[in-house]
Amino acid sequence: MKMHDFLVEDLKKSGLAPEDMPEIQATHDGYIIPFLSSEDKTVMKDVNGKYFVRKRLANPKPGGPKYLSESGAGIRCYLLPQVHQYLQKDSSAPIFMTEGEKKAVRGTKEGLPTIGLVGIWGWLESKDKRQDGEY
């Protein structure tokens, strides 16, 4: 399967199409989701000064993660420009929060201003340390 085909099929499972997330880029092993600044639509920087992106793997290892980000990059909220504008008009306006970028896009597309929380486990120590009782 070509990676662009994987991208299209994966978005379709979430009720989305590539035009709903035009910043996504197919790679040789999945696709990249860049996190754009709401102000100027450039790619956000992570805590290390690198571009903050997440990679969706087409063929994750069994039991392994489906999404990857740079080690030590921290976590970010996925905030669509239209949700940012909505909140600028009224900072007390209701918003929805969900896990993941695609769910945030889908919710917003359906008329529910949604922020995606990603990297939920990013603040924890490694799975091995947690399972060994160190946490």
Side-chain angles (χ1 to χ4, degrees), residues 16 21 23-24 33-35 52-55 67 76-78 80 98-107 114-119:
L16 300 171
M21 297 180 79
E23 68 279 2
I24 288 182
I33 305 168
F35 281 55
F52 190 87
V53 300
R54 292 210 324 150
K55 179 184 270 190
Y67 291 87
R76 298 283 182 272
C77 291
Y78 191 77
L80 294 161
T98 189
E99 193 277 328
E101 305 92 334
K102 293 182 291 184
K103 291 175 189 159
V105 173
R106 178 65 191 265
T114 307
I115 294 174
L117 302 175
V118 298

Side-chain angles (χ1 to χ4, degrees), residues 2-5 7 23-32:
K2 293 179 184 176
M3 284 304 114
H4 179 74
D5 295 340
L7 185 160
E23 68 279 2
I24 288 182
Q25 303 163 1
T27 65
H28 71 282
D29 58 353
Y31 60 84
I32 298 278

Side-chain angles (χ1 to χ4, degrees), residues 5-7 9 14 16 31 48 51 67 73 76 78 86 89 91-92 101 104 118 121 127:
D5 295 340
F6 168 73
L7 185 160
E9 286 302 313
S14 299
L16 300 171
Y31 60 84
N48 301 311
Y51 291 120
Y67 291 87
R76 298 283 182 272
Y78 191 77
Y86 166 80
K89 289 178 186 170
S91 62
S92 66
E101 305 92 334
V118 298
W121 296 101
K127 185 177 179 181

